[in-house]
Amino acid sequence: MRLNPQHVAAIKQLAAEQFGADVRVRLFGSRVDDAARGGDVDLLVELDAPVAEPGLASARFSVRVSRAMNGRKVDVLLAAPNLRTQPIHEVARREGVLL
């Protein structure tokens, strides 16, 4: 996994602040591959409760994490009971690393 411990801690803290203590965050995509270089940060945020305004929530979290990571591009995928599951959700769960 190509995130340093400080970035992992920041992501977890920001997720808990925005979504609550029960949130789960998985890193997926190219950053999971230690042999790869570069790439954005792809995060799956898993919630047990419905999320209000998912587009806004996702964008806010993405910006906060990007700032914590010195402007690195961050893509956020939300999974919650009120949101439709897409094939990318299954890929992220299967290949992702729980932070």
Side-chain angles (χ1 to χ4, degrees), residues 1 3 7-8 11-12 24-27 43 97-99:
M1 175 175 70
L3 287 181
H7 288 153
V8 171
I11 292 167
K12 291 169 67 173
R24 294 171 307 283
V25 182
R26 294 180 190 277
L27 175 71
L43 300 173
V97 175
L98 186 64
L99 302 182

Side-chain angles (χ1 to χ4, degrees), residues 14-97:
L14 292 168
E17 287 173 5
Q18 182 169 337
F19 298 108
D22 293 336
V23 67
R24 294 171 307 283
V25 182
R26 294 180 190 277
L27 175 71
F28 69 100
S30 62
R31 288 268 163 182
V32 175
D33 182 358
D34 289 332
R37 295 184 48 101
D40 60 357
V41 176
D42 298 306
L43 300 173
L44 171 64
V45 176
E46 298 175 292
L47 306 163
D48 293 328
V51 60
E53 299 181 356
L56 184 58
S58 177
R60 282 187 178 150
F61 185 63
S62 176
V63 167
R64 293 180 76 198
V65 172
S66 179
R67 286 182 183 153
M69 298 186 70
N70 302 317
R72 175 142 329 262
K73 185 176 182 306
V74 177
D75 292 328
V76 175
L77 179 63
L78 294 179
N82 64 318
L83 302 177
R84 185 178 308 156
T85 299
Q86 302 290 329
I88 189 65
H89 287 90
E90 295 309 316
V91 171
R93 285 185 180 110
R94 184 178 60 248
E95 298 175 7
V97 175

